[in-house]
Amino acid sequence: QGQLVESGGGLVLPGGSLRLSCAASGFTFENSPIHWYRQAPGKERELVATVTTLGAALNYHRSVKGRFTISRDDAKKMVYLQMNSLKLEDTAVYYCKGRYRNRDIWGQGTLVTVSS
């Protein structure tokens, strides 16, 4: 049984930074592309960033490109989302997602609130 657990969310001022972490267990994490999604109040869930296996490719939603960085550490079974220059509209619950044996594995989410 695979599991992903997010951490690192919190309250931050506009222009500030946070680093989100996602810890994997119970599946072959290194064989799975990992995604960060977010869902803001009243909005659809949105794909924010993707890192492929071996970290060979990084992809970002246009709204976060240049501000966010996704990375992975397969030895530690961890994936990260470094968020800089945060804006009010980045406020959302952030989720990581992997895939194992043709099933999606979702974390529980961590809340990021950008507010002055």
Side-chain angles (χ1 to χ4, degrees), residues 5-13 17-22 36 79-83 86 90-95 108-114:
V5 179
E6 303 97 332
S7 62
L11 177 65
V12 64
L13 293 170
S17 297
L18 283 175
R19 189 179 76 158
L20 306 184
S21 298
C22 179
W36 283 98
V79 63
Y80 306 98
L81 186 68
Q82 178 67 47
M83 306 185 295
L86 284 160
D90 294 320
T91 295
V93 178
Y94 285 72
Y95 302 88
Q108 83 289 347
T110 186
L111 176 63
V112 173
T113 302
V114 184

Side-chain angles (χ1 to χ4, degrees), residues 5 7 9 12 18 43 49 51 59-60 62 67 70 73 86 89 96 98 107 110:
V5 179
S7 62
V12 64
L18 283 175
K43 300 292 186 69
V51 56
N59 295 285
Y60 301 95
R62 63 184 301 172
R67 300 188 297 119
I70 189 171
D73 185 336
L86 284 160
E89 52 264 45
C96 60
T110 186

Side-chain angles (χ1 to χ4, degrees), residues 9-11 24 32 35 37 41 44-45 61 75 81 94 99-100 110:
L11 177 65
S32 175
H35 314 270
Y37 289 81
E44 293 280 315
R45 187 169 56 191
H61 191 276
L81 186 68
Y94 285 72
R99 194 165 176 87
Y100 182 56
T110 186

Side-chain angles (χ1 to χ4, degrees), residues 48-108:
V48 175
T50 296
V51 56
T52 63
T53 54
L54 303 176
L58 312 175
N59 295 285
Y60 301 95
H61 191 276
R62 63 184 301 172
S63 67
V64 308
K65 195 172 297 182
R67 300 188 297 119
F68 290 12
T69 303
I70 189 171
S71 61
R72 68 190 299 156
D73 185 336
D74 288 346
K76 296 180 179 179
K77 293 190 173 184
M78 296 286 291
V79 63
Y80 306 98
L81 186 68
Q82 178 67 47
M83 306 185 295
N84 299 326
S85 302
L86 284 160
K87 304 175 179 180
L88 298 180
E89 52 264 45
D90 294 320
T91 295
V93 178
Y94 285 72
Y95 302 88
C96 60
K97 183 183 78 71
R99 194 165 176 87
Y100 182 56
R101 293 179 174 176
N102 272 332
R103 294 182 180 271
D104 289 336
I105 302 170
W106 288 89
Q108 83 289 347

